[in-house]
Amino acid sequence: MRASSKIWMDGRFVEWDGAKIHVLTHGLHYAYAIFESLRCFRTSRGPAIFRLPEHMERFLNSARTYRMNLGYSKSELEEACVALVKQNKMEECYIRLIAFSAYGEMGVNPLSSKITVAMACWDWGPYLGKDSEYKGVRAMVSSWVRVDSRSLPMQAKCVANYANSALAKMEALAAGYDEAILLNPHGMLAEGPGENIFRVKDGVLSTPPASSGILRGITRDTIIQFAADEGIRFYRNDSAREEIYTSDELFFTGTAAGIARIREVDGRRIGNGQYPVTEKLQRLYKDATHGRIRRYQRWLRYVN
Ligand code: PMP
């Protein structure tokens, strides 16, 4: 991790190395913690945060789901986020927000703990590596099943969800793959450990519906809007495991990962190595995030 200078913590800026918490922090023991990830991109008008209100809305929805009182309004959080990027003089960065039950009480009930809210930003390249964009990654279908939303509300970005993700990720890495693909309890395609997934078959783009137990990704939503604007045929549908293998194109989407091609799943090459639909979406995503498409300027919050 490449440290930057300042971290926003409970309403004020502290030095990067000074943003510390106690080992008996409640949220660390009982996973009462929600988080959010954003990116800020370099544009000709300076740094711009991509889809800031949508990310903050999801953060607030995660808090609502977990009965967590953040103590900040949406606009206060948005302004803090902009100030954070400015403070750190970042041209381009990844931004992480977290809210968790603080040190003080123990026991499972989190509602007697104070909530700490913090945000940090740093320089972070594509999550699945530089080659993930065009060369693509190798993935495996995990033996770990995505948590069912009757057990944990998967549309809330709670730290607890990532224990399931970490098991899948470690399994994939140990088997020599780059990333995992998780199926849901019905055996249908769900998502990656930290990414949504799309497939292209016969020119039709599709992705699992929110009801499949996934996180409703903001990059996923961006891709869906591109498809509508470009007249690419698209639907949300469940896909069986074998439909993953027989896709013409397959890719992950996420704030950290960007749009990452999947070139192989469980030792099976995807399609014929051509990714025309993915390539078009990748170009749009790059241009939109970097402020080069007028109709998508509405998604950018300029820092300066
Ligand atoms: N699914 C999971 C489980 C994730 O952690 C993420 C990353 N936030 C995504 C999907 C993609 O969401 P987004 O495009 O909003 O980053």
Side-chain angles (χ1 to χ4, degrees):
M1 170 179 265
R2 245 178 279 176
S4 54
S5 158
K6 298 275 200 285
I7 288 179
W8 184 97
M9 207 168 171
D10 285 332
R12 62 191 187 93
F13 288 105
V14 297
E15 292 300 324
W16 180 278
D17 289 329
K20 300 225 163 74
I21 56 166
H22 199 278
V23 290
L24 295 178
T25 295
H26 185 276
L28 189 59
H29 293 253
Y30 302 106
Y32 194 66
I34 58 161
F35 71 104
E36 193 53 50
S37 317
L38 305 87
R39 270 191 193 272
C40 175
F41 294 90
R42 183 179 283 120
T43 79
S44 60
R45 291 168 53 193
I49 302 172
F50 191 63
R51 305 198 69 175
L52 177 61
E54 291 89 339
H55 280 282
M56 287 307 175
E57 188 63 34
R58 189 169 68 185
F59 191 55
L60 293 175
N61 282 336
S62 297
R64 213 166 278 143
T65 304
Y66 276 95
R67 302 169 182 250
M68 188 185 279
N69 181 8
L70 295 176
Y72 297 95
S73 68
K74 187 175 172 203
S75 64
E76 283 169 336
L77 290 170
E78 287 180 16
E79 293 321 306
C81 194
V82 170
L84 175 77
V85 175
K86 229 185 241 181
Q87 268 280 331
N88 285 286
K89 300 185 173 60
M90 304 297 288
E91 277 298 309
E92 205 156 44
C93 58
Y94 175 86
I95 305 164
R96 170 63 60 87
L97 268 79
I98 187 160
F100 55 92
S101 47
Y103 167 79
E105 296 290 331
M106 273 295 172
V108 172
N109 173 28
L111 295 180
S112 45
S113 293
K114 265 185 54 193
I115 299 299
T116 290
V117 184
M119 44 184 110
C121 66
W122 65 91
D123 181 16
W124 198 12
Y127 173 61
L128 295 172
K130 273 205 309 289
D131 283 345
S132 63
E133 195 176 6
Y134 297 111
K135 188 168 168 226
V137 297
R138 296 172 55 249
M140 74 172 272
V141 174
S142 186
S143 70
W144 294 99
V145 172
R146 198 58 168 153
V147 174
D148 187 290
S149 67
R150 286 168 296 187
S151 301
L152 282 173
M154 299 304 279
Q155 289 184 28
K157 217 168 148 54
C158 179
V159 165
N161 305 355
Y162 292 84
N164 180 238
S165 289
L167 288 166
K169 179 81 187 187
M170 290 188 289
E171 180 188 45
L173 292 177
Y177 291 92
D178 305 306
E179 188 55 303
I181 294 173
L182 288 135
L183 306 181
N184 68 22
H186 305 290
M188 294 295 165
L189 178 61
E191 60 183 343
E195 310 91 356
N196 291 118
I197 190 166
F198 283 81
R199 52 190 293 272
V200 178
K201 182 69 183 174
D202 300 326
V204 180
L205 180 69
S206 65
T207 198
S211 57
S212 65
I214 57 166
L215 183 77
R216 293 167 81 118
I218 290 161
T219 320
R220 171 180 177 273
D221 181 71
T222 302
I223 296 297
I224 293 171
Q225 300 230 16
F226 288 159
D229 293 344
E230 295 294 316
I232 297 169
R233 275 183 66 205
F234 165 75
Y235 46 88
R236 295 169 184 82
N237 69 339
D238 283 321
S239 292
R241 180 173 186 157
E242 58 270 33
E243 292 175 291
I244 304 171
Y245 303 141
T246 57
S247 301
D248 296 331
E249 303 176 38
L250 202 62
F251 59 90
F252 286 123
T253 64
T255 298
I259 302 175
R261 298 183 190 187
I262 305 168
R263 71 170 195 274
E264 185 189 313
V265 180
D266 294 344
R268 296 156 177 87
R269 196 174 103 157
I270 298 303
N272 61 7
Q274 303 292 307
Y275 276 69
V277 177
T278 312
E279 185 163 2
K280 182 171 193 165
L281 295 165
Q282 285 176 314
R283 205 171 330 113
L284 281 166
Y285 184 68
K286 195 163 274 182
D287 286 340
T289 52
H290 290 78
R292 296 191 289 260
I293 303 177
R294 187 196 290 232
R295 77 196 305 185
Y296 303 127
Q297 287 285 342
R298 62 190 152 93
W299 284 338
L300 296 174
R301 169 68 191 268
Y302 289 94
V303 168
N304 299 317

